[in-house]
Structure formats: C-alpha cells, structure tokens
C-alpha cells in the first residue's frame, strides 16, 4: 500500500516520536525560576516545537502529494554493511589490534556494494594496512595494539552468559 | 581604522604564517628549519583540491575527518589547514566541472554549464585559467575585506549583551532554514532535533544530567566530531554507494592554457561583479559559496547582451560564478571570526576545530590570540596564491584522481572516520556513536531532511541556552529583554520576516525553482 506522500508521514512520525519521548524523559527536570531557568526549560520548549513541526509535516502530507518513502529504493545493503563494519571496528580495535580489525572492518564494508572486485580490493587492502600502520602507529604513535592481545569483550560476555546457562 | 594598524595586523599575521620550526633531521641529527604553518597551509590546499576534484567527498566531511588529526597540531596550524581545505575545494571543484562535466562540489555546478562546453570546443585551457585567476582575484579582494571589516565588527560584537547573542543565534538558525535544500518544515524539524541532541549530557549550570539514559559515556554530552563524522561521513558513504556514478573520462587535452586578449576583456566585468556579489552573500549567516555561484551566474545571464548563448561556452559564465564562490568562501569566515557564530556547516567545522583546541569562539579571539586570528587571515591569501601555482600546471594529475573508483574511496573514508574518532579519546565507544549517527543521518536524508541544519542546531543549541540564561539573570527574569534591547529586537524582527517570507507560497516556489536548477 502506498500512502500519499509517505515520506512526509514518516518524517512527521519521527519528529513527533522523538519530541514526545524527549518530553516524557524531561517531565521531571526542574524548571527553575524565570530569573534562573532550570534544566528543564529548553528541553521542554524544544520538545513541543519538535512535536508541533511533526504535526505540520503531517498536515502537509495530507494536503498535498509528496514524494513516496520508497523503502525498496533504500540502500539496504550499504546501510547494513557499513554500519556493521563501523560497529565491528569499535568492538575489536582494543582487543584484536589494528591489523586484524582493519581487515575485518574493510572487508565487511567491501561486501556492502556489488561493485567490489576482489583482486583489486585485496591489493587496496594491503595498501591501506601499510598506510594505516605507517600513519597511526609509526608516525603518530597511537597506543593501539597492532596484533591481537586479548579476547574481545563481547566474546567474553557471550561466553560467560553461555556458561551460566549450562 | 588607520593604515598603520592595518599594516601592523598584516605583519602580525605574516609572522604567524612564516613561523619557523626546527625539525631534527632523522638521519644526521641536523636541525632543519621548516615554516610549519605554511606547510599546513599547503597541506590544506592540496587536500582541499583533491577532495574538490572528487565528487561525493565534500569539504565538510573532509574537515570532520581531519578534526581529530588537527588535535596533534598547534591551534594555528590546525585552523590554517582546515581553512585551506575549504577554499582549496573551491578550486578543485571547478577543475573537474570544466574538464569532465563533473562538478566536484555543489558550488561549481554552474561552472560546468559553460566551462564544459568551452572544453569541448578545445578551449579548456582558457576556461581553467580564467577560473583560477578569477578565483585568485576574488580571494585577494575578499581577504582584504576581512582585514578591513574584522576589527570594527569585533568591536561591535563586544558590545553585544547576552540577549543580543541569543537573538543573533536564532537569526542564524533561521538563515540555515532558508538556505537548506528541500522542504522548509523538515529543515525546521532538523534544527530542533539537533538542538535537543546538543542538550544531551550534564547541564553546565545546574549539574543535572539530561537525556543520558544513565549511560556513563553520555554524561559529557555527545561530541561534535562523532556527530559530524556520522551524519556527513558515514551517511554520505552509504548514500553514495547505492548510486555509484559512471565516470566517463572524456580525455580532453588541455592545450594552450593562456586565455586570449578577448577572453580577458570579456571576463573582467564578470569577475568584478562576481567578487562583489559573492563577498556580500558570503557574510550573510547561512550564506556561502553555493548561493554565491548561482546568483552570479543568473546575474551574468541577465546582464549579457546574448543571454541565449549561455550554456554554449560563454567565458562570462565561468568567470563570474568562479570568482563569486571563492569570494563567498572567504567572507563567510567573517561572522565566524568576529562573532563566533557559524554561518554554515563548514564554519561549524572551523568552530569544532577551535573547540578541539579549547579555544572559545567569539569576539575575544582577536584580542586574546592575535597571532592566530591574523595568521589565519594572511594564510588564506598565501593559500590562494599556492592554489593558483598548484592547480594550473598540475591539472593533469588532479584529473587522473578521478580514476580512483568510489568503491575503494568509500572504504578508505570509512577507515579514516573510525580511526580518527577513536584517536580523539582512545575510546571505542565513540566509534559506536558514529555508527549510530551514520545510520541516523542516512534515515534523515531518505526522509527529506538535510543533515546540515541538524548540525547547526546541535552546535548552536547549547550556546543559545547559555546566553538565554545569562540574559534572564541580568534582566532579573524579565523576558522582555529580548525585545527591549534594540540589537536583539532587530535580529528577531529580521528572523521573523525571513520566516514569514519563506512560508509565503510565491517565494517558496521560486526558492524551490532556484534549488531545482542546482
């Protein structure tokens, strides 16, 4: 089913949703006095403004034709792979070291587009390893391990959960 | 403002630029003198040209990418390099626009219209030369405009009350709405969203935590760098990876660089007009290079005796916009330097660069750090000179950079984003933040919201709160202070008028049309 201007409806939903959430969270922030406005003043003003904007977007969506959200046209593959690659970098750089993490993250990112040519990618990956090591470890002396030093935290966590289950 | 003090300021800036650092030679233990700030200026110009040439990599993303690296430099070196990236990208963008009809930057879209036609007629050389020389002339004039305008504006800014500042920021945000592409309402929503995000963390006045969800890492707030990298770096990679453009390299040989006397004669007036127009539009909050180049093109077309010939290789269509975008790129530094208020996303990055070094942006910079202030301004002129020298003979090399396919470029950008953010605090959690904001930024793009207003809101929201509280404290809780102070009232009035205008149907249509031509 296609809505009229489903892009606007979704945008309005995001604004109203985040606004309402912020309003709910900031409900017990103290408002202070007029002379010294408290923690809650600006959050509450902004939340209401955001909700109002969302409602306006909705009104616009109902009044006029807008672009469709076109979920099918979204870049699902890059979205997922690029995000996973970034998260993979975050989860492993402290434990596995720069070189394995780089290979892992860059390969996941390369899987994000059907354009990747693997021979070309391999050469590029090696080049990037040299650049990455040379710049950040050799030249800038960043305190990152280069090779694996310990088990990544998330594996340790999963393991302990599994053990508890047994 | 007398000549003596201008010269003294320029000399101060020149000294800062020519600062010599003795680098111990790695092999013989001999000290080698290196003009360190000039070196960073050159680096900025080179990087800027490179990313200007490459479509899909903009100056904002690059500056976000390099913010962590600038942490290792002196504040002077860092800001000089960041500035170089911005105006360097203006030069680089025009090169590919002319040679291969691929505007590397949004601000050189109009250059491609006539520039590429000139290249097809075998006149790529003159087009490139006029673009570069026009840009250099505009850059020189704009730099002097900054030198003349900065001290009086700074004096004025020092008289601002907190209420004035608060209203000025509101005005800046309204301008960001007016100049955002796409839907006006969505841009407003993005600003509110950005301001809310800026509030995350501990409230400096009361010490209460806001929107932290009890997560330790959020108590200090969300960093500007991870947010900027997420919405501009990662989100753009995702968006660009889907529509990978086919780049056909039309091998147009550049022969005969020098324009004819006729070319010069026809270019002088457009260059002058473009410089003037661009310089003015650059100062406006929210203004910048893109708006300037479009306006200049339409002015040239209107003034021309043969408007129908535009689009077939008119040199006026290259000279005007190219001068305008460079002039605007330079003068948009004025509000940032004198008021401490970013007028567009690039200036937001410059402020981010200052904050990385613990410098509070605002009118006090000129007095407290005159070396930094004037050094940066003088470096802009030197950088422009470097760019002319750099660009014209080396054009072949720059164009060859287009051969690097985006699929590899994307991976390199992703890696530099990750390691760059990690290196800020050696914190892997901040890398998670860019993953989240990358995803969020892509969703925003798909929902028709520009990320630039979000970033402006993110930066200005917390600043506004500080000034609002000060204003309320001084006025003893009387909100009328925002209207009773004449400056503040004027800013608010302009902001209200702009909002009103843009919501009127007629003007909105012509605005949409203007962006459609983009």
């Amino acid at each position: 089913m296609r809505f009229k201007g489903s892009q606007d409806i979704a945008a309005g939903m995001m604004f109203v949703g985040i606004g309402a959430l912020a309003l709910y969270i900031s409900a017990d922030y103290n408002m202070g006095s007029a002379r010294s406005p408290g923690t809650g003043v600006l959050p509450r003003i902004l939340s209401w403004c955001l909700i109002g904007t969302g409602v306006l977007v909705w009104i616009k969506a109902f009044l006029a034709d807008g672009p469709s959200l076109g979920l099918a046209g979204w870049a699902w593959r890059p979205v997922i792979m690029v995000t996973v690659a970034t998260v993979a970098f975050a989860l492993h750089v402290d434990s596995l070291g720069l070189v394995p993490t780089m290979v892992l993250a860059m390969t996941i990112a390369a899987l994000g587009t059907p354009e990747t040519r693997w021979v070309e990618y391999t050469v590029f990956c090696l080049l990037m390893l040299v650049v990455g090591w040379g710049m950040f470890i050799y030249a800038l002396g960043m305190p990152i391990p280069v090779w694996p030093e310990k088990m990544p935290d998330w594996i340790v966590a999963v393991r302990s959960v599994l053990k508890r289950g047994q | 403002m007398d000549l003596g003090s201008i010269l003294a300021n320029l000399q101060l800036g020149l000294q800062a630029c020519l600062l010599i650092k003795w680098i111990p030679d790695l092999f013989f233990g001999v000290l080698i003198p290196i003009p360190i700030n000039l070196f960073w200026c050159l680096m900025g110009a080179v990087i800027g040209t490179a990313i200007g040439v490459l479509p899909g990599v903009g100056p904002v993303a690059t500056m976000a990418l390099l913010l962590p690296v600038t942490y290792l430099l002196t504040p002077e070196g860092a800001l000089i390099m960041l500035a170089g990236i911005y105006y360097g990208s203006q030069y680089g963008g025009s090169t590919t626009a002319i040679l291969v009809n691929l505007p590397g930057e949004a601000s050189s879209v109009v250059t491609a219209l006539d520039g590429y036609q000139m290249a097809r007629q075998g006149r790529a050389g003159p087009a490139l030369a006029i673009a570069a020389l026009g840009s250099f002339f505009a850059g020189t004039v704009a730099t002097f405009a900054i030198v003349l305008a900065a001290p009086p504006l700074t004096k004025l800014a020092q008289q601002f009350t907190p209420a004035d500042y608060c209203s000025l920021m509101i005005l800046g945000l309204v301008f960001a709405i007016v100049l955002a592409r796409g839907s006006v309402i969505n841009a407003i929503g993005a600003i509110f969203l950005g301001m809310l995000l800026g509030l995350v963390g501990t409230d400096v006045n009361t010490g209460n935590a806001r929107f932290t969800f009890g997560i330790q890492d959020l108590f200090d707030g969300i960093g500007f760098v991870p947010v900027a990298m997420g919405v501009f770096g990662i989100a753009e990679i995702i968006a660009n990876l889907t529509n990978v453009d086919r780049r056909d390299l039309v091998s147009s040989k550049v022969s005969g660089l020098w324009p004819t006397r006729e070319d010069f004669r026809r270019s002088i007036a457009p260059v002058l007009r473009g410089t003037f127009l661009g310089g003015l539009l650059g100062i406006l909050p929210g203004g910048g290079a893109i708006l300037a180049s479009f306006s200049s093109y339409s002015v040239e077309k209107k003034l021309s005796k043969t408007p129908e010939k535009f689009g077939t290789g008119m040199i006026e269509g290259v000279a005007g916009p190219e001068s305008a975008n460079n002039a605007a790129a330079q003068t948009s530094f004025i509000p940032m330097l004198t008021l401490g208020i970013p007028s567009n996303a690039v200036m937001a990055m410059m402020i981010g660069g200052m904050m990385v070094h613990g410098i509070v942006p605002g009118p006090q910079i000129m007095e407290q750090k005159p070396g930094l202030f004037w050094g940066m301004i003088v470096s802009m002129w030197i950088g422009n000179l470097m760019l002319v020298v750099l660009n014209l003979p080396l054009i072949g090399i720059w164009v060859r950079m287009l051969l690097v396919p985006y699929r590899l470029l994307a991976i390199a950008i992703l890696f530099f984003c990750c390691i760059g953010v990690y290196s800020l605090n050696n914190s892997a959690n901040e890398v998670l933040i860019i993953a989240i904001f990358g995803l969020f930024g892509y969703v925003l793009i798909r929902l028709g919201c520009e990320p630039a207003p979000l970033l402006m809101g993110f930066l200005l929201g917390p600043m506004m709160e500080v000034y609002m509280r000060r204003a309320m404290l001084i006025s003893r809780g009387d909100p009328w202070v925002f209207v009773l102070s004449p400056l503040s009232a004027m800013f608010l009035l302009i902001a209200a008028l702009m909002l009103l205008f843009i919501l009127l149907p007629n003007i909105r249509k012509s605005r949409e049309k203007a962006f459609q031509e983009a």
Side-chain angles (χ1 to χ4, degrees):
Chain A
M1 178 171 133
R2 276 191 55 193
F3 289 102
K4 252 183 167 186
S6 55
Q7 190 190 51
D8 281 339
I9 292 178
M13 234 146 60
M14 178 181 73
F15 290 149
V16 173
I18 296 179
L21 181 71
L23 198 63
Y24 174 74
I25 297 174
S26 61
D28 57 345
Y29 291 171
N30 94 66
M31 293 295 277
S33 59
R35 194 187 275 203
S36 71
T39 315
V41 177
L42 202 57
R44 222 166 293 179
I45 296 175
L46 289 176
S47 303
W48 279 115
C49 288
L50 195 58
I51 294 174
T53 314
V55 172
L56 281 180
V57 176
W58 268 339
I59 294 173
K60 187 185 134 206
F62 284 116
L63 288 182
D65 255 336
S68 131
L69 190 55
L71 277 178
W74 283 43
W76 289 113
R77 189 164 158 183
V79 168
I80 294 167
M81 290 327 241
V82 169
T83 308
V84 171
T86 317
V87 172
F89 186 93
L91 290 182
H92 297 107
V93 68
D94 283 328
S95 49
L96 288 189
L98 186 68
V99 170
T101 309
M102 272 179 80
V103 175
L104 182 70
M106 293 199 305
T107 310
I108 296 174
L111 287 170
T113 164
E115 305 253 327
T116 300
R117 296 169 197 167
W118 291 101
V119 178
E120 175 197 77
Y121 168 71
T122 312
V123 176
F124 173 76
C125 187
L126 289 174
L127 185 78
M128 284 299 290
L129 285 179
V130 175
V131 171
W133 180 82
M135 240 177 108
F136 296 99
I137 307 283
Y138 179 76
L140 299 179
M142 275 174 54
I144 313 178
V146 180
W147 299 106
E149 286 198 340
K150 56 180 185 198
M151 207 53 99
D153 290 342
W154 67 273
I155 294 186
V156 176
V158 168
R159 258 202 200 154
S160 69
V161 168
L162 286 180
K163 258 189 199 147
R164 220 176 296 154
Q166 274 170 2
Chain B
M1 196 68 200
D2 58 311
L3 194 66
S5 67
I6 294 177
L7 286 179
N9 287 337
L10 285 180
Q11 192 197 356
L12 199 63
L14 206 60
Q15 264 169 11
C17 282
L18 296 178
L19 178 82
I20 302 276
K21 193 178 173 191
W22 293 85
I23 306 248
D25 186 356
L26 295 172
F27 302 106
F28 304 103
V30 186
L31 287 172
I32 300 177
I34 293 196
I36 193 75
N37 287 338
L38 276 190
F39 173 75
W40 293 121
C41 183
L42 179 69
M43 284 298 285
V46 170
I47 297 172
T49 311
I51 58 117
V53 167
L54 293 169
V57 193
V60 181
T62 314
M63 289 164 84
L65 217 70
L66 287 173
L67 277 184
V69 178
T70 63
Y71 186 61
L72 301 163
L73 315 183
T74 60
E76 288 86 6
L79 291 170
I80 285 173
M81 185 173 86
L82 288 175
I85 292 173
Y86 184 33
Y87 52 77
S89 71
Q90 306 300 325
Y91 280 81
S94 54
T95 306
T96 41
I98 291 170
L99 283 183
V100 282
N101 200 15
L102 261 183
E105 299 305 324
S107 55
S108 45
V109 168
V110 283
T111 311
L113 298 177
D114 279 278
Y116 180 61
Q117 293 305 322
M118 283 181 72
R120 287 186 56 184
Q121 293 154 15
R123 304 206 328 116
L128 288 166
I130 285 291
L133 294 175
S135 296
F136 177 66
F137 173 78
T140 309
V141 172
T143 306
F144 275 101
I146 301 179
V147 172
L148 292 179
L153 262 177
T154 310
K155 277 226 177 68
L156 181 72
Q158 278 165 339
Q159 330 250 306
F160 280 18
T161 62
D164 298 335
Y165 259 111
C166 192
S167 305
L168 185 64
M169 286 175 186
I170 292 174
L171 180 63
L173 288 175
V174 170
F175 267 106
I177 294 166
V178 176
L179 295 166
R181 284 151 174 263
S183 155
V184 178
I185 310 180
N186 286 3
I188 297 175
I191 283 182
F192 289 138
L193 207 54
M195 289 170 81
L196 267 176
L197 284 169
L199 294 183
V200 172
T202 309
D203 174 13
V204 272
N205 267 47
T206 59
N208 297 332
R210 286 192 284 205
F211 304 119
T212 55
F213 302 98
I215 300 169
Q216 196 77 44
D217 285 291
L218 290 180
F219 281 15
D220 282 338
I222 308 174
F224 175 74
V225 179
V227 172
M229 270 198 196
V231 295
F232 279 105
I234 306 278
E236 269 178 31
I237 296 176
I238 297 174
N240 286 333
L241 269 181
T242 16
N243 33 32
V244 179
D245 47 358
R246 297 271 165 278
R247 289 179 198 159
D248 319 308
L249 277 185
V250 189
S251 58
S252 48
K253 279 251 162 139
V254 184
S255 55
L257 208 54
W258 207 242
T260 60
R261 187 168 299 205
E262 169 73 5
D263 289 334
F264 274 122
R265 195 187 57 74
R266 279 170 58 187
S267 303
I268 288 175
V271 166
L272 289 175
R273 280 193 292 263
T275 305
F276 180 72
L277 195 66
L280 272 187
L281 288 173
I283 303 175
L284 291 183
I290 303 172
L291 183 69
S293 61
F294 278 96
S295 319
S296 165
Y297 190 79
S298 56
V299 164
E300 290 311 322
K301 202 169 169 179
K302 282 212 179 89
L303 287 178
S304 167
K305 283 183 199 117
T306 54
E308 70 283 353
K309 274 196 181 166
F310 271 78
T312 62
M314 296 280 278
I315 199 156
E316 290 91 339
V318 176
E322 275 306 308
S323 314
N325 71 22
N326 212 41
Q330 308 277 9
T331 52
S332 60
F333 281 84
I334 291 179
M336 194 275 291
L337 282 170
T338 55
L339 306 172
I341 290 181
S343 51
N344 53 38
V346 176
M347 291 305 127
M349 291 297 155
M350 293 296 298
I351 288 195
M354 288 188 182
M355 295 196 308
V356 165
H357 285 275
I359 300 171
V360 182
Q364 76 285 354
I365 289 182
M366 196 174 92
E367 277 177 6
Q368 286 173 3
K369 298 192 183 304
L372 174 83
F373 187 91
W374 295 107
M376 218 171 101
I377 292 171
V378 172
S379 84
M380 288 186 204
W381 186 77
I382 299 177
N384 270 291
L385 189 66
M386 284 178 181
L387 279 163
V388 174
V389 178
L390 206 72
N391 267 18
L392 289 181
L394 299 179
I395 273 169
I397 299 175
W398 293 123
V399 174
R400 207 152 299 155
M401 277 191 52
L402 283 175
L403 291 171
V404 180
Y406 193 76
R407 53 178 184 270
L408 296 183
L409 211 56
I411 295 174
I413 298 172
L414 181 71
F415 165 67
F416 281 111
C417 276
C418 289
I419 192 133
V421 166
Y422 179 86
S423 69
L424 269 184
N425 297 319
N426 286 327
S427 151
N429 289 342
E430 296 202 340
V431 184
L432 282 180
I433 291 183
I434 64 167
I436 294 167
F437 275 95
L439 205 57
F440 184 59
Y442 180 70
V443 172
L444 280 181
I445 296 173
R446 294 306 309 216
L447 292 182
C449 301
E450 276 276 296
L454 180 105
L455 202 68
M456 299 278 289
F458 181 81
L459 200 67
L460 286 179
M463 285 177 162
M464 245 177 76
E465 187 181 36
V466 171
Y467 285 114
M468 179 196 73
R469 277 181 166 152
R470 262 187 227 162
M472 293 300 273
L473 191 68
I474 293 171
S475 73
R476 296 167 198 277
D478 178 14
W480 287 103
V481 63
F482 292 103
V483 188
L484 291 178
S485 158
L487 267 176
S488 165
M490 189 182 75
F491 292 143
L492 285 181
L493 189 71
I494 300 174
L497 284 178
M498 303 261 320
L499 259 188
L500 199 70
F501 269 127
I502 193 164
L503 292 173
L504 291 178
N506 272 341
I507 295 179
R508 206 170 63 210
K509 258 184 211 130
S510 63
R511 169 178 166 276
E512 270 156 23
K513 205 176 139 220
F515 277 122
Q516 226 137 58
E517 282 165 15

